[in-house]
Amino acid sequence: MRTIPTLAGAAGLTLAAMLWAGSGAAADKLETLKEQGFARVAIANEPPYTAVGADGKVSGAAPDVAREIFKRMGVPEIVASVSEYGAMIPGLQAKRFDAVTAGLFMKPERCAAVAYSEPILCDAEALLVKKGNPKGFKSYADIA
């Protein structure tokens, strides 16, 4: 078997940034987070990207990156809440969360609603074919 990478379905795991209208609002929000000592972060319970242990500790690539980013900005802790994907951006807009750290595909309507950070992880899909790729598959269109 051979794997043929495709670009279809490429997605970035991003730390969707806080809904800040401008630099003044961003500075005010950051000061508030520093004073309270934590940022509220929406996560998906999707190991290995995010996981909630039996003890309630949140781990995984996404919260670990968010924890470090906030720490470097002077916010020592994150408080993570598991959320369904469809509720993450509305929760951010309603100020139930300060950030979302989940694999939200970057779509135009989402980019208009929230500010995304630089992607911290990207993935792609692939096809698994017989050795030598006897049918010459190179894309989903070839399969169709």
Side-chain angles (χ1 to χ4, degrees), residues 3 5 8 11 19 30 38 41-42 53 55-58 60 83 87 101 109 120 123 131:
T3 303
L19 279 175
L30 183 56
F38 64 91
V41 178
D55 61 357
K57 183 172 177 5
V58 177
S83 178
T101 178
E109 62 274 9
I120 59 170
D123 64 6
K131 187 174 183 176

Side-chain angles (χ1 to χ4, degrees), residues 1 3 7-8 30 43 48 50 67 79 87 93 97 105 144:
M1 295 287 190
T3 303
L7 294 180
L30 183 56
I43 64 165
T50 56
R67 193 175 283 115
V79 175
Q93 292 170 319
F97 314 120
F105 287 91

